[in-house]
Amino acid sequence: MEEEMSEPLILDGKALSQKLREELRREIERYTSAGYRKPGLAVVLVGDDPASQVYVKNKVNACRKVGIESIFYQLDKNTVTEELLDVIAELNSREDVDGILVQLPLPEQINQEEVILAIHPEKDVDGFHPENMGKLVAMMEDGFIPCTPLGIDLLLSHYGVGLKGKDVVIVGAGFIVGRPLSLLMLWRDATVTVCHIHTRDLKKHTLSADILISATGVPHLIKEDMVREGAVVVDVGISKVEGRIVGDVDFEKVKRKASAITPVPGGVGPMTVTGLLMNTVKSYRRRLRVHSTSTMKP
Ligand code: NAD
């Protein structure tokens, strides 16, 4: 007979998000009832990619619920780089805009590097500007950490998953998740391995993980035999298979081995949006202090 397995701890990103967003809502309410303006986040979407539309809608709704004013720009799919740069320049100079988010990926005629460089680092709540990436390398607290790595860090810390000295294995070295996450895990004193499409023996690496984080977008890449007994498993992947959202991890089987695991949906996804809200409020606080004698004061 099969030995009975204990159920793993579910790292519930939805529940933690609710809690953290409620705290943000109260904090913003304290500011606004003292006469300050609301925090402002500009969200720019170029084109009509259906997945991007869903992400942007989620972000705008989440802003509204906590009391962040969202300024939504929908630009035509044929927008050229210069037009987008003009929009960013205007947003950079607006007093009521604390954060600027340009939803990626951009249509191919747009030069993504130029766009990332154009966003003022102090309004770069996605944390993709090289100045903020550099601050992540340098462990400078005043930078913005990209939202998904930030959300994962908050989730692990909330559930008491220690990182110091642990073997963290990250599968996927993308610019948005894997790469900045590897720097953040190093900041937390983990021993970090980063795997990607050219990694020779993926399983050898994943089996050594105390904490295994997958961010590839390959459905069910991570199988049961690739996970060490008792590992903590974090699934960042989002793919659509036959109309269903699935992660990188074969959840039903892997959960038998993991001591803790994130669900998809309801794990990293909501924490990413929470990370964005936190970064926006971080910018707002800083800008209110800077401008506390100007128009922003009651
Ligand atoms: P990306 O395309 O930039 O990077 C993917 C990485 O995975 C690359 O480093 C690639 O080498 C690696 N990879 C691909 N196939 C592999 C394989 N077979 N074995 C090992 N490595 C492999 O993607 P990204 O922007 O980093 O996003 C990754 C996934 O995370 C996507 O599914 C995306 O939708 C999802 N995502 C989720 C959230 C969230 O909030 N949950 C946020 C951002 C991205």
Side-chain angles (χ1 to χ4, degrees):
M1 215 173 77
E2 211 175 293
E3 199 185 327
E4 200 172 314
M5 296 280 176
S6 60
E7 287 289 313
L9 176 66
I10 300 295
L11 305 173
D12 187 340
K14 200 172 163 197
L16 178 58
S17 281
Q18 268 167 12
K19 176 178 176 290
L20 294 174
R21 291 183 203 182
E22 176 56 20
E23 284 169 18
L24 282 177
R25 193 191 64 73
R26 287 210 205 113
E27 182 185 346
I28 293 167
E29 199 175 65
R30 278 201 303 277
Y31 282 107
T32 52
S33 54
Y36 289 94
R37 67 167 174 83
K38 286 179 166 186
L41 174 67
V43 179
V44 184
L45 176 61
V46 186
D48 43 24
D49 173 61
S52 292
Q53 280 174 335
V54 172
Y55 295 145
V56 161
K57 204 176 115 213
N58 282 343
K59 290 168 186 176
V60 168
N61 283 339
C63 280
R64 198 191 56 243
K65 286 190 186 150
V66 299
I68 294 173
E69 194 79 60
S70 61
I71 303 127
F72 177 51
Y73 284 70
Q74 167 74 67
L75 305 184
D76 187 83
K77 66 176 187 301
N78 298 318
T79 301
V80 295
T81 306
E82 287 66 32
E83 289 168 318
L84 181 52
L85 293 180
D86 285 345
V87 171
I88 292 170
E90 185 205 321
L91 295 172
N92 278 341
S93 64
R94 268 177 71 161
E95 284 257 316
D96 60 338
V97 170
D98 301 294
I100 302 170
L101 180 154
V102 177
Q103 184 66 37
L104 302 181
L106 289 164
E108 57 184 25
Q109 77 276 9
I110 293 183
N111 183 333
Q112 183 167 304
E113 276 181 24
E114 272 192 64
V115 170
I116 288 172
L117 286 168
I119 296 171
H120 195 292
E122 285 180 13
K123 294 190 177 188
D124 171 41
V125 287
D126 253 340
F128 297 150
H129 190 287
E131 183 168 316
N132 285 310
M133 288 283 190
K135 285 185 173 177
L136 182 54
V137 177
M139 305 192 291
M140 292 180 178
E141 297 276 355
D142 72 325
F144 292 111
I145 294 168
C147 305
T148 304
L150 176 59
I152 292 168
D153 188 47
L154 290 165
L155 189 62
L156 293 174
S157 127
H158 173 78
Y159 281 99
V161 178
L163 292 165
K164 189 177 268 186
K166 295 289 177 63
D167 289 318
V168 172
V169 177
I170 300 170
V171 186
F175 170 74
I176 293 177
V177 188
R179 225 164 260 256
L181 180 63
S182 67
L183 295 168
L184 184 57
M185 294 297 100
L186 261 182
W187 189 347
R188 304 293 179 243
D189 296 322
T191 302
V192 182
T193 304
V194 188
C195 304
H196 45 75
I197 191 80
H198 301 295
T199 298
R200 263 182 286 145
D201 187 351
L202 183 60
K203 186 173 160 182
K204 179 185 95 182
H205 295 288
T206 59
L207 274 175
S208 75
D210 296 314
I211 297 148
L212 175 61
I213 310 177
S214 187
T216 67
V218 181
H220 292 184
L221 173 69
I222 306 298
K223 310 272 188 231
E224 194 181 4
D225 66 346
M226 297 166 76
V227 179
R228 184 157 109 186
E229 195 74 51
V232 173
V233 178
V234 175
D235 190 352
V236 186
I238 302 177
S239 312
K240 218 168 192 180
V241 177
E242 290 161 6
R244 266 183 58 234
I245 300 290
V246 296
D248 286 3
V249 176
D250 187 355
F251 182 88
E252 287 307 323
K253 295 206 175 108
V254 168
K255 77 172 189 192
R256 298 183 203 152
K257 282 192 130 173
S259 62
I261 188 166
T262 62
V264 175
V268 176
M271 290 306 297
T272 294
V273 178
T274 300
L276 171 69
L277 302 175
M278 293 182 94
N279 276 346
T280 304
V281 174
K282 178 176 178 170
S283 171
Y284 169 74
R285 280 189 215 109
R286 179 160 55 203
R287 296 180 74 253
L288 274 190
R289 268 203 301 277
V290 170
H291 296 283
S292 58
T293 53
S294 77
T295 50
M296 276 182 245
K297 214 155 175 218

PDB file of all heavy atoms in Angstrom, residues 55 148 171-178 195-198 202 215-218 221 235-239 248 268-270 272, ligand 1:
ATOM      1  N   TYR A  55      -4.075  41.318 -18.033  1.00  0.00           N
ATOM      2  CA  TYR A  55      -3.147  41.749 -16.982  1.00  0.00           C
ATOM      3  C   TYR A  55      -3.381  43.210 -16.623  1.00  0.00           C
ATOM      4  O   TYR A  55      -3.421  43.582 -15.441  1.00  0.00           O
ATOM      5  CB  TYR A  55      -1.688  41.567 -17.433  1.00  0.00           C
ATOM      6  CG  TYR A  55      -1.280  40.131 -17.650  1.00  0.00           C
ATOM      7  CD1 TYR A  55      -0.383  39.781 -18.644  1.00  0.00           C
ATOM      8  CD2 TYR A  55      -1.782  39.117 -16.845  1.00  0.00           C
ATOM      9  CE1 TYR A  55      -0.001  38.459 -18.850  1.00  0.00           C
ATOM     10  CE2 TYR A  55      -1.413  37.800 -17.042  1.00  0.00           C
ATOM     11  CZ  TYR A  55      -0.521  37.477 -18.056  1.00  0.00           C
ATOM     12  OH  TYR A  55      -0.156  36.169 -18.244  1.00  0.00           O
ATOM     13  N   THR A 148       7.320  40.759  -9.780  1.00  0.00           N
ATOM     14  CA  THR A 148       7.168  39.316  -9.522  1.00  0.00           C
ATOM     15  C   THR A 148       8.210  38.828  -8.511  1.00  0.00           C
ATOM     16  O   THR A 148       7.841  38.169  -7.525  1.00  0.00           O
ATOM     17  CB  THR A 148       7.221  38.517 -10.843  1.00  0.00           C
ATOM     18  OG1 THR A 148       6.208  39.021 -11.717  1.00  0.00           O
ATOM     19  CG2 THR A 148       6.993  37.043 -10.618  1.00  0.00           C
ATOM     20  N   VAL A 171      14.510  28.112 -12.339  1.00  0.00           N
ATOM     21  CA  VAL A 171      14.471  27.633 -13.720  1.00  0.00           C
ATOM     22  C   VAL A 171      13.847  28.731 -14.568  1.00  0.00           C
ATOM     23  O   VAL A 171      12.695  29.103 -14.351  1.00  0.00           O
ATOM     24  CB  VAL A 171      13.677  26.311 -13.844  1.00  0.00           C
ATOM     25  CG1 VAL A 171      13.773  25.764 -15.266  1.00  0.00           C
ATOM     26  CG2 VAL A 171      14.179  25.279 -12.837  1.00  0.00           C
ATOM     27  N   GLY A 172      14.617  29.259 -15.496  1.00  0.00           N
ATOM     28  CA  GLY A 172      14.185  30.402 -16.306  1.00  0.00           C
ATOM     29  C   GLY A 172      15.008  31.620 -15.936  1.00  0.00           C
ATOM     30  O   GLY A 172      15.116  31.963 -14.750  1.00  0.00           O
ATOM     31  N   ALA A 173      15.620  32.231 -16.942  1.00  0.00           N
ATOM     32  CA  ALA A 173      16.493  33.381 -16.688  1.00  0.00           C
ATOM     33  C   ALA A 173      15.990  34.604 -17.450  1.00  0.00           C
ATOM     34  O   ALA A 173      16.766  35.421 -17.932  1.00  0.00           O
ATOM     35  CB  ALA A 173      17.924  33.048 -17.090  1.00  0.00           C
ATOM     36  N   GLY A 174      14.668  34.712 -17.575  1.00  0.00           N
ATOM     37  CA  GLY A 174      14.087  35.845 -18.299  1.00  0.00           C
ATOM     38  C   GLY A 174      14.363  37.163 -17.579  1.00  0.00           C
ATOM     39  O   GLY A 174      14.643  37.196 -16.378  1.00  0.00           O
ATOM     40  N   PHE A 175      14.256  38.222 -18.351  1.00  0.00           N
ATOM     41  CA  PHE A 175      14.548  39.576 -17.870  1.00  0.00           C
ATOM     42  C   PHE A 175      13.536  40.040 -16.821  1.00  0.00           C
ATOM     43  O   PHE A 175      13.859  40.796 -15.912  1.00  0.00           O
ATOM     44  CB  PHE A 175      14.527  40.488 -19.111  1.00  0.00           C
ATOM     45  CG  PHE A 175      14.565  41.942 -18.832  1.00  0.00           C
ATOM     46  CD1 PHE A 175      15.735  42.555 -18.417  1.00  0.00           C
ATOM     47  CD2 PHE A 175      13.424  42.725 -19.005  1.00  0.00           C
ATOM     48  CE1 PHE A 175      15.777  43.914 -18.172  1.00  0.00           C
ATOM     49  CE2 PHE A 175      13.456  44.087 -18.761  1.00  0.00           C
ATOM     50  CZ  PHE A 175      14.638  44.679 -18.339  1.00  0.00           C
ATOM     51  N   ILE A 176      12.288  39.525 -16.934  1.00  0.00           N
ATOM     52  CA  ILE A 176      11.209  40.012 -16.068  1.00  0.00           C
ATOM     53  C   ILE A 176      11.177  39.268 -14.738  1.00  0.00           C
ATOM     54  O   ILE A 176      10.849  39.829 -13.708  1.00  0.00           O
ATOM     55  CB  ILE A 176       9.852  39.881 -16.814  1.00  0.00           C
ATOM     56  CG1 ILE A 176       9.824  40.850 -18.004  1.00  0.00           C
ATOM     57  CG2 ILE A 176       8.669  40.084 -15.899  1.00  0.00           C
ATOM     58  CD1 ILE A 176       8.579  40.769 -18.853  1.00  0.00           C
ATOM     59  N   VAL A 177      11.507  37.964 -14.772  1.00  0.00           N
ATOM     60  CA  VAL A 177      11.398  37.167 -13.543  1.00  0.00           C
ATOM     61  C   VAL A 177      12.740  36.547 -13.120  1.00  0.00           C
ATOM     62  O   VAL A 177      13.332  36.941 -12.113  1.00  0.00           O
ATOM     63  CB  VAL A 177      10.326  36.056 -13.654  1.00  0.00           C
ATOM     64  CG1 VAL A 177      10.134  35.400 -12.289  1.00  0.00           C
ATOM     65  CG2 VAL A 177       8.995  36.579 -14.175  1.00  0.00           C
ATOM     66  N   GLY A 178      13.213  35.557 -13.862  1.00  0.00           N
ATOM     67  CA  GLY A 178      14.334  34.729 -13.402  1.00  0.00           C
ATOM     68  C   GLY A 178      15.585  35.512 -13.034  1.00  0.00           C
ATOM     69  O   GLY A 178      16.186  35.294 -11.978  1.00  0.00           O
ATOM     70  N   CYS A 195      18.944  28.142 -13.948  1.00  0.00           N
ATOM     71  CA  CYS A 195      18.916  27.245 -15.112  1.00  0.00           C
ATOM     72  C   CYS A 195      18.103  27.891 -16.232  1.00  0.00           C
ATOM     73  O   CYS A 195      17.270  28.757 -15.982  1.00  0.00           O
ATOM     74  CB  CYS A 195      18.260  25.916 -14.739  1.00  0.00           C
ATOM     75  SG  CYS A 195      19.031  25.090 -13.342  1.00  0.00           S
ATOM     76  N   HIS A 196      18.347  27.454 -17.445  1.00  0.00           N
ATOM     77  CA  HIS A 196      17.635  28.003 -18.602  1.00  0.00           C
ATOM     78  C   HIS A 196      17.636  26.972 -19.710  1.00  0.00           C
ATOM     79  O   HIS A 196      18.061  25.827 -19.502  1.00  0.00           O
ATOM     80  CB  HIS A 196      18.270  29.335 -19.023  1.00  0.00           C
ATOM     81  CG  HIS A 196      19.750  29.285 -19.064  1.00  0.00           C
ATOM     82  ND1 HIS A 196      20.430  28.650 -20.075  1.00  0.00           N
ATOM     83  CD2 HIS A 196      20.678  29.714 -18.178  1.00  0.00           C
ATOM     84  CE1 HIS A 196      21.716  28.721 -19.830  1.00  0.00           C
ATOM     85  NE2 HIS A 196      21.895  29.354 -18.670  1.00  0.00           N
ATOM     86  N   ILE A 197      17.223  27.395 -20.878  1.00  0.00           N
ATOM     87  CA  ILE A 197      17.031  26.462 -21.990  1.00  0.00           C
ATOM     88  C   ILE A 197      18.325  25.729 -22.377  1.00  0.00           C
ATOM     89  O   ILE A 197      18.284  24.621 -22.883  1.00  0.00           O
ATOM     90  CB  ILE A 197      16.399  27.221 -23.197  1.00  0.00           C
ATOM     91  CG1 ILE A 197      15.912  26.283 -24.300  1.00  0.00           C
ATOM     92  CG2 ILE A 197      17.347  28.268 -23.774  1.00  0.00           C
ATOM     93  CD1 ILE A 197      14.588  25.665 -24.034  1.00  0.00           C
ATOM     94  N   HIS A 198      19.472  26.328 -22.108  1.00  0.00           N
ATOM     95  CA  HIS A 198      20.742  25.692 -22.477  1.00  0.00           C
ATOM     96  C   HIS A 198      21.359  24.859 -21.348  1.00  0.00           C
ATOM     97  O   HIS A 198      22.444  24.295 -21.508  1.00  0.00           O
ATOM     98  CB  HIS A 198      21.753  26.753 -22.939  1.00  0.00           C
ATOM     99  CG  HIS A 198      21.258  27.544 -24.106  1.00  0.00           C
ATOM    100  ND1 HIS A 198      21.030  26.977 -25.338  1.00  0.00           N
ATOM    101  CD2 HIS A 198      20.888  28.846 -24.224  1.00  0.00           C
ATOM    102  CE1 HIS A 198      20.557  27.888 -26.166  1.00  0.00           C
ATOM    103  NE2 HIS A 198      20.457  29.035 -25.508  1.00  0.00           N
ATOM    104  N   LEU A 202      18.976  19.510 -16.410  1.00  0.00           N
ATOM    105  CA  LEU A 202      18.094  20.314 -15.571  1.00  0.00           C
ATOM    106  C   LEU A 202      17.751  19.588 -14.263  1.00  0.00           C
ATOM    107  O   LEU A 202      17.804  20.162 -13.175  1.00  0.00           O
ATOM    108  CB  LEU A 202      16.810  20.648 -16.362  1.00  0.00           C
ATOM    109  CG  LEU A 202      15.796  21.542 -15.669  1.00  0.00           C
ATOM    110  CD1 LEU A 202      16.388  22.896 -15.323  1.00  0.00           C
ATOM    111  CD2 LEU A 202      14.549  21.723 -16.546  1.00  0.00           C
ATOM    112  N   ALA A 215      10.123  29.615 -13.696  1.00  0.00           N
ATOM    113  CA  ALA A 215       9.574  30.750 -14.446  1.00  0.00           C
ATOM    114  C   ALA A 215       9.971  30.627 -15.907  1.00  0.00           C
ATOM    115  O   ALA A 215      10.808  31.364 -16.410  1.00  0.00           O
ATOM    116  CB  ALA A 215      10.085  32.067 -13.860  1.00  0.00           C
ATOM    117  N   THR A 216       9.364  29.633 -16.582  1.00  0.00           N
ATOM    118  CA  THR A 216       9.718  29.407 -17.986  1.00  0.00           C
ATOM    119  C   THR A 216       8.544  29.618 -18.947  1.00  0.00           C
ATOM    120  O   THR A 216       8.754  29.955 -20.101  1.00  0.00           O
ATOM    121  CB  THR A 216      10.226  27.969 -18.225  1.00  0.00           C
ATOM    122  OG1 THR A 216       9.153  27.044 -18.031  1.00  0.00           O
ATOM    123  CG2 THR A 216      11.376  27.627 -17.301  1.00  0.00           C
ATOM    124  N   GLY A 217       7.327  29.344 -18.497  1.00  0.00           N
ATOM    125  CA  GLY A 217       6.190  29.347 -19.422  1.00  0.00           C
ATOM    126  C   GLY A 217       6.069  28.042 -20.197  1.00  0.00           C
ATOM    127  O   GLY A 217       5.340  27.978 -21.179  1.00  0.00           O
ATOM    128  N   VAL A 218       6.789  26.992 -19.746  1.00  0.00           N
ATOM    129  CA  VAL A 218       6.640  25.666 -20.358  1.00  0.00           C
ATOM    130  C   VAL A 218       5.702  24.843 -19.464  1.00  0.00           C
ATOM    131  O   VAL A 218       6.069  24.496 -18.337  1.00  0.00           O
ATOM    132  CB  VAL A 218       8.004  24.936 -20.490  1.00  0.00           C
ATOM    133  CG1 VAL A 218       7.814  23.571 -21.150  1.00  0.00           C
ATOM    134  CG2 VAL A 218       9.000  25.791 -21.259  1.00  0.00           C
ATOM    135  N   LEU A 221       6.634  21.564 -17.024  1.00  0.00           N
ATOM    136  CA  LEU A 221       8.054  21.238 -17.201  1.00  0.00           C
ATOM    137  C   LEU A 221       8.598  20.503 -15.967  1.00  0.00           C
ATOM    138  O   LEU A 221       9.404  19.590 -16.063  1.00  0.00           O
ATOM    139  CB  LEU A 221       8.849  22.545 -17.417  1.00  0.00           C
ATOM    140  CG  LEU A 221      10.356  22.461 -17.454  1.00  0.00           C
ATOM    141  CD1 LEU A 221      10.828  21.728 -18.718  1.00  0.00           C
ATOM    142  CD2 LEU A 221      10.982  23.858 -17.413  1.00  0.00           C
ATOM    143  N   ASP A 235       5.780  28.288  -8.341  1.00  0.00           N
ATOM    144  CA  ASP A 235       5.457  28.191  -9.769  1.00  0.00           C
ATOM    145  C   ASP A 235       5.052  29.558 -10.309  1.00  0.00           C
ATOM    146  O   ASP A 235       4.010  30.096  -9.947  1.00  0.00           O
ATOM    147  CB  ASP A 235       4.303  27.182  -9.934  1.00  0.00           C
ATOM    148  CG  ASP A 235       4.050  26.830 -11.389  1.00  0.00           C
ATOM    149  OD1 ASP A 235       4.639  27.465 -12.281  1.00  0.00           O
ATOM    150  OD2 ASP A 235       3.240  25.913 -11.627  1.00  0.00           O
ATOM    151  N   VAL A 236       5.891  30.107 -11.163  1.00  0.00           N
ATOM    152  CA  VAL A 236       5.625  31.441 -11.715  1.00  0.00           C
ATOM    153  C   VAL A 236       4.921  31.343 -13.071  1.00  0.00           C
ATOM    154  O   VAL A 236       4.241  32.262 -13.505  1.00  0.00           O
ATOM    155  CB  VAL A 236       6.944  32.239 -11.877  1.00  0.00           C
ATOM    156  CG1 VAL A 236       6.674  33.668 -12.306  1.00  0.00           C
ATOM    157  CG2 VAL A 236       7.752  32.232 -10.580  1.00  0.00           C
ATOM    158  N   GLY A 237       5.083  30.217 -13.729  1.00  0.00           N
ATOM    159  CA  GLY A 237       4.612  30.080 -15.111  1.00  0.00           C
ATOM    160  C   GLY A 237       3.112  30.280 -15.275  1.00  0.00           C
ATOM    161  O   GLY A 237       2.329  29.935 -14.389  1.00  0.00           O
ATOM    162  N   ILE A 238       2.768  30.873 -16.393  1.00  0.00           N
ATOM    163  CA  ILE A 238       1.355  30.996 -16.768  1.00  0.00           C
ATOM    164  C   ILE A 238       1.257  30.597 -18.237  1.00  0.00           C
ATOM    165  O   ILE A 238       1.823  31.258 -19.101  1.00  0.00           O
ATOM    166  CB  ILE A 238       0.840  32.449 -16.629  1.00  0.00           C
ATOM    167  CG1 ILE A 238       1.015  32.973 -15.203  1.00  0.00           C
ATOM    168  CG2 ILE A 238      -0.623  32.530 -17.052  1.00  0.00           C
ATOM    169  CD1 ILE A 238       0.584  34.424 -15.037  1.00  0.00           C
ATOM    170  N   SER A 239       0.553  29.492 -18.492  1.00  0.00           N
ATOM    171  CA  SER A 239       0.316  29.095 -19.884  1.00  0.00           C
ATOM    172  C   SER A 239      -1.152  28.730 -20.014  1.00  0.00           C
ATOM    173  O   SER A 239      -1.800  28.359 -19.036  1.00  0.00           O
ATOM    174  CB  SER A 239       1.152  27.874 -20.263  1.00  0.00           C
ATOM    175  OG  SER A 239       2.486  28.036 -19.876  1.00  0.00           O
ATOM    176  N   ASP A 248       4.141  26.004 -14.645  1.00  0.00           N
ATOM    177  CA  ASP A 248       5.304  25.222 -15.078  1.00  0.00           C
ATOM    178  C   ASP A 248       5.388  23.895 -14.327  1.00  0.00           C
ATOM    179  O   ASP A 248       6.181  23.032 -14.703  1.00  0.00           O
ATOM    180  CB  ASP A 248       6.610  25.977 -14.733  1.00  0.00           C
ATOM    181  CG  ASP A 248       6.867  27.163 -15.638  1.00  0.00           C
ATOM    182  OD1 ASP A 248       6.022  27.463 -16.504  1.00  0.00           O
ATOM    183  OD2 ASP A 248       7.931  27.804 -15.460  1.00  0.00           O
ATOM    184  N   VAL A 268       1.623  33.097  -7.276  1.00  0.00           N
ATOM    185  CA  VAL A 268       2.507  34.221  -7.606  1.00  0.00           C
ATOM    186  C   VAL A 268       1.763  35.346  -8.345  1.00  0.00           C
ATOM    187  O   VAL A 268       2.100  36.518  -8.181  1.00  0.00           O
ATOM    188  CB  VAL A 268       3.712  33.716  -8.439  1.00  0.00           C
ATOM    189  CG1 VAL A 268       4.590  34.864  -8.885  1.00  0.00           C
ATOM    190  CG2 VAL A 268       4.521  32.697  -7.635  1.00  0.00           C
ATOM    191  N   GLY A 269       0.749  34.990  -9.137  1.00  0.00           N
ATOM    192  CA  GLY A 269       0.027  35.992  -9.934  1.00  0.00           C
ATOM    193  C   GLY A 269      -0.469  37.177  -9.117  1.00  0.00           C
ATOM    194  O   GLY A 269      -0.074  38.323  -9.377  1.00  0.00           O
ATOM    195  N   PRO A 270      -1.323  36.935  -8.109  1.00  0.00           N
ATOM    196  CA  PRO A 270      -1.799  38.063  -7.299  1.00  0.00           C
ATOM    197  C   PRO A 270      -0.676  38.785  -6.555  1.00  0.00           C
ATOM    198  O   PRO A 270      -0.754  40.003  -6.350  1.00  0.00           O
ATOM    199  CB  PRO A 270      -2.781  37.419  -6.302  1.00  0.00           C
ATOM    200  CG  PRO A 270      -2.749  35.969  -6.517  1.00  0.00           C
ATOM    201  CD  PRO A 270      -2.010  35.670  -7.768  1.00  0.00           C
ATOM    202  N   THR A 272       2.269  39.368  -7.666  1.00  0.00           N
ATOM    203  CA  THR A 272       2.907  40.281  -8.620  1.00  0.00           C
ATOM    204  C   THR A 272       2.171  41.618  -8.645  1.00  0.00           C
ATOM    205  O   THR A 272       2.792  42.694  -8.599  1.00  0.00           O
ATOM    206  CB  THR A 272       2.911  39.644 -10.026  1.00  0.00           C
ATOM    207  OG1 THR A 272       3.744  38.495  -9.998  1.00  0.00           O
ATOM    208  CG2 THR A 272       3.417  40.611 -11.082  1.00  0.00           C
TER     209      THR A 272
HETATM  210  P1  NAD B   1      11.050  34.622 -20.838  1.00  0.00           P
HETATM  211  O1  NAD B   1      10.608  34.057 -22.136  1.00  0.00           O
HETATM  212  O2  NAD B   1      11.685  35.950 -20.794  1.00  0.00           O
HETATM  213  O3  NAD B   1      12.053  33.601 -20.139  1.00  0.00           O
HETATM  214  C1  NAD B   1      11.831  32.225 -20.137  1.00  0.00           C
HETATM  215  C2  NAD B   1      13.056  31.540 -19.585  1.00  0.00           C
HETATM  216  O4  NAD B   1      12.769  30.153 -19.502  1.00  0.00           O
HETATM  217  C3  NAD B   1      14.310  31.674 -20.468  1.00  0.00           C
HETATM  218  O5  NAD B   1      15.417  31.954 -19.659  1.00  0.00           O
HETATM  219  C4  NAD B   1      14.454  30.311 -21.109  1.00  0.00           C
HETATM  220  O6  NAD B   1      15.806  29.966 -21.361  1.00  0.00           O
HETATM  221  C5  NAD B   1      13.847  29.411 -20.047  1.00  0.00           C
HETATM  222  N1  NAD B   1      13.330  28.159 -20.602  1.00  0.00           N
HETATM  223  C6  NAD B   1      12.457  27.989 -21.619  1.00  0.00           C
HETATM  224  N2  NAD B   1      12.233  26.696 -21.846  1.00  0.00           N
HETATM  225  C7  NAD B   1      12.986  26.010 -20.954  1.00  0.00           C
HETATM  226  C8  NAD B   1      13.197  24.635 -20.712  1.00  0.00           C
HETATM  227  N3  NAD B   1      12.597  23.702 -21.434  1.00  0.00           N
HETATM  228  N4  NAD B   1      14.051  24.301 -19.713  1.00  0.00           N
HETATM  229  C9  NAD B   1      14.678  25.251 -18.989  1.00  0.00           C
HETATM  230  N5  NAD B   1      14.513  26.559 -19.183  1.00  0.00           N
HETATM  231  C10 NAD B   1      13.681  26.945 -20.157  1.00  0.00           C
HETATM  232  O7  NAD B   1       9.751  34.574 -19.912  1.00  0.00           O
HETATM  233  P2  NAD B   1       9.380  35.435 -18.602  1.00  0.00           P
HETATM  234  O8  NAD B   1       8.872  36.756 -19.006  1.00  0.00           O
HETATM  235  O9  NAD B   1      10.486  35.350 -17.629  1.00  0.00           O
HETATM  236  O10 NAD B   1       8.134  34.608 -18.088  1.00  0.00           O
HETATM  237  C11 NAD B   1       8.238  33.246 -17.738  1.00  0.00           C
HETATM  238  C12 NAD B   1       6.875  32.702 -17.367  1.00  0.00           C
HETATM  239  O11 NAD B   1       6.401  33.387 -16.219  1.00  0.00           O
HETATM  240  C13 NAD B   1       5.795  32.885 -18.430  1.00  0.00           C
HETATM  241  O12 NAD B   1       4.904  31.795 -18.370  1.00  0.00           O
HETATM  242  C14 NAD B   1       5.069  34.126 -17.977  1.00  0.00           C
HETATM  243  O13 NAD B   1       3.724  34.152 -18.414  1.00  0.00           O
HETATM  244  C15 NAD B   1       5.123  33.927 -16.482  1.00  0.00           C
HETATM  245  N6  NAD B   1       4.993  35.138 -15.695  1.00  0.00           N
HETATM  246  C16 NAD B   1       4.157  35.072 -14.634  1.00  0.00           C
HETATM  247  C17 NAD B   1       4.011  36.143 -13.813  1.00  0.00           C
HETATM  248  C18 NAD B   1       3.106  36.019 -12.648  1.00  0.00           C
HETATM  249  O14 NAD B   1       2.743  37.026 -12.067  1.00  0.00           O
HETATM  250  N7  NAD B   1       2.738  34.812 -12.228  1.00  0.00           N
HETATM  251  C19 NAD B   1       4.710  37.333 -14.051  1.00  0.00           C
HETATM  252  C20 NAD B   1       5.582  37.386 -15.133  1.00  0.00           C
HETATM  253  C21 NAD B   1       5.715  36.271 -15.940  1.00  0.00           C
END
